[in-house]
Amino acid sequence: MIIHKFITHVLNKDMDEPVLNDFEGKVSPVVDKFLQQSIKKVKKDDFLRKAKFKDYDENLIKNLCDEIIYNEKSFVESSKEIASFLFDTMKCNLGIDSGDLVVCLFTEKDQKYVAIVKLDYKKVYNHSIEYEDDKFNIQIKQNEIGIAETFKPRQAAIVGVNGINDEYDLLVIDAEAEKKRDKSSFIDLFIKGEKVIDDTYKTARFIGATVGYINNVFDSLSEKHETFNLFTYMMLNTSAVSINDIADKLFKDTEVKNGFIKYLEKNNITNFNIDKRIATKRLNKIELSTLGFKFRVKLEDLNNEKLLKVVEREDGKYDLVLKDVGCMGMGICN
C-alpha cells in the first residue's frame, strides 16, 4: 500500500461550520503507518460491507472520489466538498457523531483508491495550569479531542475505480448500525449507497444465526458441541447451503428442525454459496463462557482431549480440564 495524499478536516456538531483544511497533510513515517493501519482495519472489519452508489451518475461522493482519482490537483477542494457534505448530514442526524474526517488517496495492487475515514474522538483527561497569586493552580480537565493510537474506524468508505455494471462500487462500514441492523445515516444519507446482499454477507449472517440457534435450543453442552462440530464440518466441506438439507442433518427433532427453518426465514436467510474465507475465519475459534469467565480456543484444540476436556458433572455443572500445560503466567487484573 502506498499513501499518496491525505488531508484532515474537523467536523464538530457543536459548531455552525466545519473547519476545512486548505493544506494537504505531511506523510511522515508515523502518519503513513497510522493511515495504513487504519485502512487495513477497515478492510478486515467483520462489519465491512460491499455497496453500490444510488443515482450513479449524479452521486456526489462518487463524482468527488472520481475527481480525486483522475485529477490529483483537485484533491484538497474535492476533499473539502466531501467534508462539507458530511458535516451537513451530521448536523441533521444523530447517527453520526463529531470527529475528524480524513480523506486519503492511496494505491494498492496498482489500483488507486480514496479512503474516507471518520476519526471518532475519545474522552481523555489531562491537566490545566494557572498561575494565581504567585502560586500554581493545577486542575484535572476532560478533553474530547483525543484520538487513540489503537483507534479502530467505525464509519468509513473506500472507493476505487468503478463502473455502473460492476458487482459493487465501494466498501463501507458503519459498525454500530450494522451490529444493531439499523439504518445507517452515514451510508444512506452521506454516501447515498445501498449495501450489497452477497454470499459473503449471507455466509456471515447464516453462521451467526445458526450458532445462536444451537446455543438456545440445546441445554446440554455435549449436544451443543456435537451439533457445532457437525455444522462446522458442513460449512467447511460443502460449497453451497441448502437450508432444508442443513436442517435435516443438524437436527433430529422435527419441532427443532422446523423451528430452525422458520427462524432463518424470519431473518431473511435463504440458500447461498458459501464464502470459505468468512466460514474459516468465523468458525476457527469458539468461545466458552460462563459468569465472569471467558475462554477462547481453536475448535481443533477443543476436540483434542489430550489438550483439554469439558467434563459434565451429575449436578449439571461442568469442569474444564487443561492438560499438558508446559508453563503458565499469572498477573493481576486492573
Side-chain angles (χ1 to χ4, degrees), residues 203 207 235-236 274-283:
T203 301
I207 290 173
M235 290 298 292
L236 298 181
I274 298 171
D275 185 321
K276 294 297 184 183
R277 182 185 65 84
I278 293 295
T280 302
K281 180 181 178 182
R282 291 292 181 91
L283 296 170

Side-chain angles (χ1 to χ4, degrees), residues 157-176:
I158 298 175
V159 184
V161 176
N162 54 79
I164 193 169
N165 294 318
D166 290 350
E167 176 197 352
Y168 66 96
D169 303 324
L170 71 161
L171 300 173
V172 293
I173 181 172
D174 186 335
E176 288 303 313

Side-chain angles (χ1 to χ4, degrees), residues 18-66:
V19 181
L20 301 179
N21 198 348
D22 290 304
F23 298 92
E24 293 179 20
K26 296 179 180 179
V27 187
S28 67
V30 173
V31 171
D32 183 89
K33 181 181 177 181
F34 174 76
L35 292 172
Q36 288 206 37
Q37 287 180 339
S38 297
I39 293 169
K40 288 175 182 176
K41 286 177 184 178
V42 170
K43 298 183 73 174
K44 291 180 179 179
D45 199 290
D46 287 343
F47 295 115
L48 185 69
R49 296 288 301 276
K50 296 172 184 174
K52 294 285 290 180
F53 285 116
K54 297 177 183 176
D55 300 323
Y56 186 83
D57 291 330
E58 304 298 325
N59 187 288
L60 178 64
I61 301 302
K62 172 202 165 295
N63 291 336
L64 289 170
C65 288
D66 283 350

Side-chain angles (χ1 to χ4, degrees), residues 195-213:
K195 291 179 284 188
V196 173
I197 308 295
D198 60 354
D199 288 332
T200 299
Y201 174 72
K202 290 178 181 178
T203 301
R205 286 276 287 114
F206 178 68
I207 290 173
T210 303
V211 171
Y213 188 81

